[in-house]
Amino acid sequence: QVKLVDSGGGLVQPGGSLRLSCAASGSVFSIDLMSWYRQSPGKQRELVASVTSSGSTNYADSVKGRFTISRDPAMNKNTVYLQMNSLKPEDTAVYYCKGTATRFDMEYWGKGTLVTVSS
């Protein structure tokens, strides 16, 4: 089993920045893909960014150039961050961390952290 704890959300003004964290524990050796998703009221959950165990990254078009996903090498890559800059009101959502163990066809989710962008 893998436990994911996501944190770092809050209220920020448009144009501001936040950094989200996702700490993984348990059988983390099985995880080969870490992702951030978000869900706004009335909308489907959408992929924001992902990073593989080899460091390859992928971003939604809506966040390219503003958001950066990274893994912490000092912690055996068990912590994933999402640096969010130039935030817009439309970035307001609950952000969820997800870990995927492709070999075992398993997915693990954090409980989510709320990001509100408003003046």
Side-chain angles (χ1 to χ4, degrees), residues 21 23 30 51 58 63 68-69 77 84 94 103 110 114 116:
S21 300
S30 65
V51 59
N58 181 54
V63 306
T68 302
I69 188 170
K77 303 178 181 179
M84 305 186 296
V94 178
R103 291 171 293 167
L114 176 62
T116 303

Side-chain angles (χ1 to χ4, degrees), residues 13 16 24:
Q13 292 186 342

Side-chain angles (χ1 to χ4, degrees), residues 8-29:
L11 173 63
V12 62
Q13 292 186 342
S17 298
L18 278 177
R19 189 177 79 158
L20 306 183
S21 300
C22 175
S25 61
S27 303
V28 295
F29 64 89

